[in-house]
Structures are given as structure tokens and as C-alpha cells.
Amino acid sequence: MIYNYYYANRLGRLVCGSSDKSESMMGYFTKWGDIAADISPIMDLYKTQVRKLAHHMGIPQAIVDKPSSPALWPKQLAEDELGIRYDQLDLILYGLSVHETRKHSRATQNRKTFS
């Protein structure tokens, strides 16, 4: 990451992050690694959404289907470490997110009712 920032600063550019919502919500990232960035354009997309977007954009299928890996050592795979496939994980994370949003919305409505 230090090299990314060195060259970005030298060239007057920004470092673009590659972390997505699935990794962020699970806390699955490398400190001062993939999470460190000036901008994070896919941070609001779940891993499965990132793959669908990549397919829609015409990214080669071999890249879209490549298993996620921090690549800190040979044969390291994110799904193995997480113990769940991203297609399952994203459904759970989305469900939790919707539940929290609805709970917050109800709490806000209740405060307005009793004010």
C-alpha cells in the first residue's frame, strides 16, 4: 500500500480501494491494505453485486469467476476463511441490513408519535 500512496502522491492522484460491503461488514480486510484508500467506489456493493456489475461491464468471465483471495499466501481463499460462500453471506448481510433499517425507521416513527 505504501507504494500505491507514494506514486499517487507523486503523480497527484488518488488511491482507489477495492473493498466491498461484504468484506467491510464482516471485518474481512487487511489493515492498511485493501481497506486503506482515498476513495472506495464499490464499498456499498455486496460481493455478488460486484461480480454481476463486472459481468455487465464485459469483464472477462475468468476474472469475474476468480475466487476471492487476499493472496497473502498460496491457495488462500476468502470463502474458506469466512466459512461461508459469498452468495449465502450476502443474503444474510442484506437481511440484517434491511432488518436494522426497518427497526431504526420504527423507532424514529415512535419518537415522532410521542413527541
Side-chain angles (χ1 to χ4, degrees), residues 1 15-21 23 33-37 39-43 45 47 50:
M1 188 54 64
V15 174
C16 184
S18 61
S19 292
D20 56 57
K21 191 170 194 165
E23 294 168 345
D34 55 346
I35 198 75
I39 59 172
S40 299
I42 61 172
M43 185 66 82
L45 299 176
K47 179 71 75 186
V50 172

Side-chain angles (χ1 to χ4, degrees), residues 75-84:
K75 299 182 183 179
Q76 179 187 22
L77 297 177
E79 290 181 341
D80 289 347
E81 291 184 343
L82 291 169
I84 189 170

Side-chain angles (χ1 to χ4, degrees), residues 85-97:
R85 293 188 337 257
Y86 277 108
D87 59 337
Q88 295 172 325
L89 176 63
D90 287 353
L91 289 173
I92 293 166
L93 294 176
Y94 177 76
L96 290 171
S97 178

Side-chain angles (χ1 to χ4, degrees), residues 34-78:
D34 55 346
I35 198 75
D38 296 315
I39 59 172
S40 299
I42 61 172
M43 185 66 82
D44 255 356
L45 299 176
Y46 295 98
K47 179 71 75 186
T48 51
Q49 292 174 312
V50 172
R51 289 185 176 146
K52 287 178 183 178
L53 177 62
H55 178 75
H56 177 76
M57 293 174 63
I59 304 296
Q61 200 62 41
I63 294 173
V64 174
D65 293 339
K66 184 180 177 201
S68 296
S69 172
L72 298 175
W73 53 80
K75 299 182 183 179
Q76 179 187 22
L77 297 177

